[in-house]
Amino acid sequence: MKPFSKISALKILLIVALTFFTTAARFSMLKKSSEPNGLDGYYYALQAKSFAQTGHLENPSHEPGYYLCGIFAKLMQDPITGCKIYSALSSALICAGVYLLLYSLTKSFIAGTMGFLLCACSPCIALISTNYINNQTGIVFFLFFTAFFARKKIMPSVIFFFLSCLSHKVTLAYSLILVALMTFQKINRKKMLIIPLSISLIFATALLAIQFPRFKSSVAMPSLLFTNKSITRQLSFGACEMTAVCILFWGCTIWFCIYAFLKKNFSRTKAICIFVFNTVMFFPFWNFNSGNEMGFRLYLSAMPFGIALIIFTIFTSVNFENLSDRTKIIASCTTAILLISTSIFLTPKIYNPRHDPPYKYYKSVVKNIELNDDSLLIAHLGLNHTYTYYKNLRWSLNYIPDFPVKGGIWRLAYGASKTRIEEVLQVENSADITEINTEYILIKENLWQQYLEKEEKEISDSFKNWYNPHMIRPSFIRRKKLI
């Protein structure tokens, strides 16, 4: 019993050490930029800053990722660094979750470690940490939910199930679908199969009927991701990895189904459940050329599970117990060295800060803007979060509110001329119109709307673009009490 305990302790220490190593590798990648990472970088940072300083989020939310970022922001006394550390750690915990899931399913330390290392050196999984912290948090919780569910540990399974549901819509769907399929597998009795399939078919048909134009532009015939120029520009080698995992994933899925219908001792119901769930994971008909990144993001989310299924299929198909200990050690060490080397030298290069918004420029734009604390600034996405972060969490939205604001509403107008505005409005040297730089003008919102009404229609219409928010969104979206 003692030797077993020592070996178990060493295995745990190895996984913990690999988790710390992967966290350090991810953090070094994220530190390539001194600014927050990704398209929503400053949104996570301001949420973390608000929670660390005030004890509540700037924008109320139930996603645990924001609160965890806030905890690390408090510990580091720097929200940006805190978000980077949490993102790096949660990325490493994806690897640990894959290890625990594979170990729970196969009882093989080698299988679990292989899954860990493949996830650690995966460019696609690394990319999740640069953009999608909440999504990444949900993946971690879902992996731990499935691992404890496989081990029949009820209480941890329930806890991680609810955390997975709260973290992100993708893992909410994964969790509910998995529970529904597992329940169906338990209660299925021949003809009962027709009931959930009929309900699913009716629901899917109704959903497509309601949103057909959008769905039509989002689906296409199956295609290989490494042939898509927009994805290869963003991911390069990662596009090949995603394609390979997708092909192998579907190969394993089809193998399970064929095996189920050839072997009487394998549950056909289980095979159907695996096929349905895997179709959700790697839906083969996404249109990656549509400009809709829905399919791309879902494929990124599915990557850890794709790797886990491939490793599981290999270790259930090949009898590794017949190999000599020396062969196992040599093969394991060689693989580990190759994967760790890949993790150090190749994976960090997947993140290019130039793909992020120009945050340094945004900082220079908002630097000298001083408004009342109870005012509201309208600015385009990214710039609004940067303003809120650096200006004492002052309110900024990327849409027009439909409610009054005590401190007044201002706007950062892009591409407008102060001289032209004053000419149209017939005012001179107005204190309510300030030129920030050659691209942005700070102007009172009521004056901006007056200018658009009086300006020539062709010019006025040209300002109704992404850089100049022009859509009204209801006040309940914000859910913030006004003083």
Side-chain angles (χ1 to χ4, degrees):
M1 195 72 180
K2 288 184 179 180
F4 175 79
S5 299
K6 288 181 179 179
I7 292 172
S8 299
L10 287 173
K11 290 178 179 178
I12 293 172
L13 285 173
L14 176 61
I15 297 303
V16 170
L18 286 173
T19 301
F20 276 107
F21 173 83
T22 306
T23 301
R26 292 285 197 270
F27 182 66
S28 67
M29 176 187 72
L30 298 175
K31 286 289 287 182
K32 288 168 67 176
S33 171
S34 59
E35 306 296 330
N37 311 106
L39 299 176
D40 295 322
Y42 266 108
Y43 184 72
Y44 283 104
L46 74 88
Q47 289 281 70
K49 183 177 183 178
S50 177
F51 185 72
Q53 292 183 356
T54 67
H56 60 79
L57 298 179
E58 168 68 8
N59 296 287
S61 177
H62 60 268
E63 287 94 341
Y66 295 128
Y67 297 94
L68 292 167
C69 284
I71 292 171
F72 279 88
K74 185 75 171 178
L75 291 173
M76 300 305 300
Q77 296 298 304
D78 177 16
I80 294 176
T81 302
C83 287
K84 290 178 188 287
I85 291 177
Y86 172 68
S87 184
L89 176 61
S90 53
S91 182
L93 288 175
I94 287 180
C95 308
V98 168
Y99 164 82
L100 186 61
L101 176 60
L102 285 169
Y103 186 77
S104 300
L105 293 172
T106 65
K107 308 302 180 186
S108 170
F109 175 74
I110 296 177
T113 306
M114 285 290 295
F116 187 109
L117 293 172
L118 281 172
C119 289
C121 71
S122 166
C124 293
I125 295 175
L127 186 67
I128 299 174
S129 67
T130 67
N131 274 290
Y132 314 114
I133 295 179
N134 277 340
N135 199 346
Q136 182 170 260
T137 302
I139 293 170
V140 172
F141 290 141
F142 182 72
L143 282 166
F144 278 85
F145 158 56
T146 54
F148 283 111
F149 187 82
R151 297 168 71 93
K152 298 182 179 179
K153 302 291 184 180
I154 304 301
M155 187 56 67
S157 298
V158 172
I159 292 172
F160 284 113
F161 168 78
F162 283 109
L163 288 172
S164 173
C165 291
L166 288 172
S167 296
H168 199 270
K169 291 178 182 177
V170 171
T171 48
L172 167 66
Y174 286 171
S175 300
L176 294 177
I177 292 170
L178 181 62
V179 169
L181 289 172
M182 292 299 100
T183 304
F184 163 70
Q185 182 193 338
K186 294 292 183 182
I187 66 172
N188 180 54
R189 295 292 185 274
K190 294 182 180 179
K191 293 184 179 180
M192 286 184 66
L193 177 63
I194 195 67
I195 299 174
L197 288 181
S198 299
I199 294 173
S200 299
L201 183 61
I202 293 170
F203 177 77
T205 303
L207 187 64
L208 293 183
I210 295 171
Q211 296 185 339
F212 183 74
R214 181 179 178 182
F215 184 81
K216 184 178 180 180
S217 67
S218 298
V219 298
M221 293 302 293
S223 60
L224 300 176
L225 277 77
F226 70 83
T227 63
N228 185 286
K229 292 182 179 180
S230 62
I231 293 177
T232 53
R233 277 197 301 268
Q234 184 177 5
L235 264 179
S236 59
F237 177 75
C240 297
E241 180 207 14
M242 194 181 289
T243 301
V245 169
C246 181
I247 292 172
L248 290 172
F249 181 88
W250 272 106
C252 294
T253 301
I254 294 170
W255 181 88
F256 268 113
C257 293
I258 293 173
Y259 184 83
F261 283 89
L262 292 179
K263 300 288 184 179
K264 293 183 179 180
N265 61 343
F266 190 88
S267 171
R268 296 183 180 182
T269 303
K270 183 182 291 186
I272 292 171
C273 290
I274 291 173
F275 182 82
V276 171
F277 191 69
N278 290 356
T279 302
V280 173
M281 285 276 182
F282 280 99
F283 182 67
F285 299 104
W286 289 120
N287 180 8
F288 296 104
N289 293 311
S290 66
N292 185 344
E293 67 168 6
M294 184 189 303
F296 175 64
R297 288 185 63 173
L298 288 173
Y299 267 40
L300 280 180
S301 300
M303 284 297 291
F305 312 103
I307 291 172
L309 180 66
I310 292 167
I311 297 294
F312 175 75
T313 304
I314 292 172
F315 273 78
T316 53
S317 303
V318 180
N319 188 359
F320 284 87
E321 298 300 324
N322 292 336
L323 299 176
S324 66
D325 292 339
R326 182 179 180 182
T327 303
K328 290 180 183 177
I329 292 172
I330 293 173
S332 300
C333 290
T334 303
T335 305
I337 290 170
L338 289 172
L339 291 176
I340 291 173
S341 299
T342 303
S343 179
I344 295 173
F345 297 111
L346 179 62
T347 304
K349 295 180 181 179
I350 197 68
Y351 171 57
N352 186 347
R354 284 184 289 183
H355 291 157
D356 294 342
Y359 288 131
K360 288 185 178 179
Y361 174 62
Y362 290 170
K363 285 168 62 176
S364 70
V365 172
V366 306
K367 182 180 179 181
N368 297 319
I369 298 176
E370 293 298 337
L371 302 175
N372 297 330
D373 286 344
D374 56 355
S375 64
L376 185 150
L377 179 70
I378 298 174
H380 64 71
L381 193 64
L383 183 58
N384 65 328
H385 299 148
T386 307
Y387 170 83
T388 303
Y389 182 85
Y390 286 106
K391 295 299 177 178
N392 196 31
L393 298 178
R394 290 173 190 155
W395 200 1
S396 182
L397 301 176
N398 65 320
Y399 57 85
I400 301 174
D402 65 344
F403 47 84
V405 178
K406 181 180 179 181
I409 303 175
W410 294 75
R411 169 184 290 268
L412 273 173
Y414 178 84
S417 166
K418 178 184 177 182
T419 304
R420 175 63 181 173
I421 293 174
E422 290 178 337
E423 179 185 336
V424 171
L425 296 179
Q426 297 182 346
V427 297
E428 292 184 7
N429 299 320
S430 172
D432 294 334
I433 307 173
T434 305
E435 190 175 78
I436 302 299
N437 59 23
T438 57
E439 293 184 320
Y440 290 95
I441 287 175
L442 181 67
I443 182 173
K444 271 285 189 83
E445 177 63 12
N446 64 323
L447 292 180
W448 175 254
Q449 294 301 330
Q450 290 175 27
Y451 163 67
L452 292 181
E453 289 177 5
K454 295 181 178 181
E455 180 60 273
E456 295 178 15
K457 188 177 186 306
E458 185 177 349
I459 298 175
S460 178
D461 289 344
S462 70
F463 287 116
K464 295 178 181 179
N465 52 41
W466 182 87
Y467 288 98
N468 292 292
H470 55 283
M471 302 297 291
I472 296 176
R473 294 171 66 184
S475 58
F476 65 82
I477 293 178
R478 170 71 182 183
R479 303 199 306 269
K480 179 174 180 177
K481 293 182 180 179
L482 298 179
I483 299 173

